[in-house]
Amino acid sequence: MSELNNIALKILKNGKGILAADESTGTMTKRLESVKVESTKENRIKFRETLFSAKGMSEYIGGVILYDETIKQKTNTGKEVPRLLSEMGSIAGIKVDTGAKKLAGSPNEKITEGLDGLRDRLKEYSKLGAQFTKWRGVYNISKDYPSKLSINSNAHALARYAALVQECNMVPIVEPEVLMDGDHSADDCFKKTSEVIKKCFEELLLNKVDLTGVILKPNMILAGSESNNQITYEETAKLTVKCLKESVPSEVPGIAFLSGGQTEVQASENLNLINKFNDTNFIMSYSYGRALQQSALRHWAKDINDVEGTQAVFDHRAKMCTLAAQGKWSKNLENI
Ligand code: 5MM
């Protein structure tokens, strides 16, 4: 077994998942302002440190995706963040793309940037303790989108990123996110997501990426958030498994879903059913941002010094997600 495969399995084994705490300063500012907390450097690390030192980290969270600011920050007790994570039994990861920008040639779509100088940045992050990385491509569904141009150019960028990351002995998370926005059907989501993922693997292979050392971070198959034809959780789970079975090469060890705007409970319920229907060898776990942090953030905002209370809320959410990653979640465990 390769070293990269070992890292990927360590992150996702036994129902463990990933905490996506890699919000860029702009996104984190929106999140904090939505709960009326000022977005200062101190407040950003205070919230993140509260989660990273929660008891549930060692049992449920195999890896944490950090943002550039956070991986270089020290906690209030003076510890480097990657060291704190490692003491909590979790692995530090880092978002290395520099964001999605207007795609020349199709200005209503986006291309993710960040390849320039990436080799040197990766060396720096590796020295800081990161063992895995993340790059997100975003795609919109509408009558004309995603265009071939967007599918091809984002796949190309994701593959060049992944090849550079493996050269630096880290595991790349490949995240092609087909957004929920819009009124498209679940069938459209299935078709477009399949096309996007297949193209990504075609490019990954062309770039000689070792698929046993990759984690795929896809969206689930859902109808658009404005569609009148929503599908059931069971249909989502079945379509999601079918899509991945048909589009992902069997060498890939693990899939960690994004939550993409689903509520915390929806994201757990869907993941649970996906695992019930999972007849592949892929580990199917989570790499949630909002669906792991929302309720903890709301609790914390009421009193940013309530470390224990916030951690209890976070621990509950992480436990629910890990149970879902094992197909052991049920609604009555939510106490709602
Ligand atoms: C945590 O949010 C990440 C995006 O941050 P920026 O937009 O500021 O770069 C995002 O990539 C995230 O990792 C994934 O979309 C999963 O998060 P959700 O909230 O969809 O589970």
Side-chain angles (χ1 to χ4, degrees):
M1 205 187 295
S2 74
E3 192 194 330
L4 295 180
N5 183 256
N6 259 327
I7 298 172
L9 292 176
K10 205 165 155 198
I11 295 171
L12 297 179
K13 71 175 181 207
N14 303 331
K16 281 190 179 184
I18 299 170
L19 167 61
D22 59 312
E23 297 87 355
S24 53
T25 304
T27 304
M28 195 56 188
T29 300
K30 272 192 226 145
R31 303 265 190 272
L32 291 176
E33 285 177 351
S34 76
V35 292
K36 306 205 162 30
V37 173
E38 195 191 345
S39 179
T40 59
K41 217 173 173 177
E42 292 71 33
N43 282 345
R44 292 194 289 272
I45 187 65
K46 195 173 171 84
F47 176 64
R48 286 166 164 156
E49 177 180 358
T50 303
L51 304 191
F52 300 166
S53 48
K55 272 207 294 294
M57 286 291 298
S58 54
E59 213 175 323
Y60 312 123
I61 305 294
V64 179
I65 315 172
L66 302 168
Y67 179 57
D68 181 75
E69 174 183 86
T70 324
I71 200 170
K72 295 171 179 165
Q73 263 174 324
K74 286 199 172 150
T75 64
N76 286 315
T77 54
K79 238 177 239 171
E80 289 83 14
V81 171
R83 208 177 110 217
L84 166 65
L85 292 176
S86 138
E87 286 172 9
M88 298 304 296
S90 192
I91 297 180
I94 179 79
K95 185 234 296 291
V96 300
D97 66 65
T98 55
K101 309 281 160 57
K102 198 163 43 167
L103 173 62
S106 185
N108 293 324
E109 296 187 282
K110 297 216 160 122
I111 177 72
T112 303
E113 296 188 347
L115 288 171
D116 286 352
L118 181 56
R119 183 178 267 128
D120 292 335
R121 286 196 290 126
L122 290 171
K123 284 183 195 143
E124 186 196 356
Y125 289 138
S126 169
K127 271 196 202 128
L128 289 169
Q131 293 185 58
F132 72 102
T133 65
K134 193 201 86 171
W135 178 293
R136 169 172 170 258
V138 272
Y139 312 79
N140 254 303
I141 300 187
S142 71
K143 193 165 73 47
D144 303 316
Y145 304 135
S147 65
K148 286 264 179 269
L149 176 62
S150 136
I151 294 175
N152 290 355
S153 31
N154 275 298
H156 176 78
L158 274 162
R160 284 187 54 202
Y161 138 82
L164 283 165
V165 170
Q166 289 194 339
E167 185 191 89
C168 200
N169 296 316
M170 293 188 278
V171 169
I173 294 186
V174 171
E175 179 183 8
E177 176 173 10
V178 179
L179 296 170
M180 270 168 77
D181 308 352
D183 60 2
H184 55 270
S185 65
D187 190 46
D188 284 337
C189 179
F190 179 90
K191 285 191 191 124
K192 297 301 179 187
T193 303
S194 304
E195 192 182 344
V196 160
I197 293 178
K198 281 180 186 157
K199 191 70 198 175
C200 285
F201 281 104
E202 195 184 310
E203 286 287 329
L204 287 165
L205 286 170
L206 195 64
N207 283 269
K208 310 267 185 302
V209 172
D210 170 11
L211 298 186
T212 68
V214 163
I215 295 173
L216 177 71
K217 175 166 174 171
N219 51 285
M220 296 175 188
I221 305 299
L222 300 159
S225 49
E226 287 127 52
S227 163
N228 294 324
N229 296 310
Q230 296 298 324
I231 58 171
T232 63
Y233 291 109
E234 209 175 285
E235 285 166 328
T236 285
K238 285 185 179 159
L239 284 173
T240 303
V241 172
K242 182 172 178 335
C243 167
L244 297 168
K245 205 171 163 176
E246 292 172 358
S247 319
V248 184
S250 57
E251 295 92 318
V252 173
I255 293 173
F257 293 97
L258 58 93
S259 58
Q262 299 179 61
T263 65
E264 293 181 336
V265 177
Q266 267 170 354
S268 294
E269 185 151 6
N270 277 325
L271 180 63
N272 188 57
L273 284 175
I274 286 172
N275 277 287
K276 288 213 185 283
F277 293 122
N278 182 10
D279 56 354
T280 69
N281 288 326
F282 303 127
I283 297 176
M284 298 223 190
S285 188
Y286 58 92
S287 173
Y288 292 163
R290 285 162 288 178
L292 264 176
Q293 301 181 84
Q294 246 157 26
S295 49
L297 180 65
R298 274 199 293 267
H299 184 98
W300 179 76
K302 286 186 228 147
D303 174 3
I304 66 169
N305 293 313
D306 181 11
V307 173
E308 270 182 32
T310 305
Q311 290 181 337
V313 176
F314 174 71
D315 284 347
H316 169 74
R317 200 65 256 140
K319 181 176 178 183
M320 293 299 106
C321 291
T322 284
L323 287 172
Q326 298 167 314
K328 294 180 183 163
W329 174 91
S330 75
K331 203 162 207 159
N332 54 28
L333 298 170
E334 292 283 354
N335 298 322
I336 52 167

